[in-house]
Amino acid sequence: MGAANLMTTIFTQIIEGRLPARFVWKDDRCVVFLSNRPLRPGHALVVPREEVDHWLDLDPSLLCHLAETAQAIGRAQMPAFKPERIGVMLAGLEVPHCHFHVVPIRGLHDLDFGNQDPDPEPQMMDDSAESIRRELRKLGYPQVSD
């Protein structure tokens, strides 16, 4: 990031620790933290450390890594939240920094961004993060973030 890009995205500010988030995963290429406006409990965001606006512009190996990370998060969300399915969405309209939404869902209506919770209960958020971390540990992932 050179002088040409003086503004960083909100996600980069979170990754750098300048804004708070409930992290559940960190590795050298991406991080995962809970959405602060969740569609459902456990709604997580898989975000590359590199600022890439559109997923079409991702290096194919990074896209694959993000998808594999989303799959790991989904594997942890299934036993933690017992949803019907795990939904994954790449919308990219809210923040100009590519990210996968990984959401425990009961149906397609759970992926409607009109249903975001603008003020989730902190205890629910803490419990959701810890549930994902616990299940990731059970699955043997060393990238779990405390």
Side-chain angles (χ1 to χ4, degrees), residues 23-72:
F23 287 92
V24 297
W25 177 287
K26 289 183 182 177
D27 66 37
D28 62 335
R29 300 186 80 189
C30 72
V31 299
V32 181
F33 50 86
L34 294 189
S35 172
N36 67 353
R37 295 175 55 88
L39 293 169
R40 299 277 306 139
H43 177 180
L45 304 177
V46 179
V47 183
R49 289 180 180 275
E50 179 183 352
E51 280 189 8
V52 176
D53 181 8
H54 199 297
W55 71 272
L56 294 175
D57 297 325
L58 289 171
D59 178 88
S61 70
L62 180 55
L63 176 61
C64 184
H65 182 74
L66 297 174
E68 289 172 348
T69 302
Q71 190 175 51

Side-chain angles (χ1 to χ4, degrees), residues 107-124:
L108 281 178
H109 61 278
D110 286 332
L111 292 174
D112 180 347
F113 283 90
N115 296 328
Q116 289 179 313
D117 183 348
D119 190 26
E121 287 293 321
Q123 189 62 54
M124 180 276 293

Side-chain angles (χ1 to χ4, degrees), residues 79-100:
F81 301 98
K82 300 182 181 16
E84 185 71 26
R85 294 282 179 165
I86 301 298
V88 176
M89 185 183 305
L90 284 96
L93 299 172
E94 322 82 23
V95 177
H97 190 147
C98 177
H99 56 288
F100 284 50

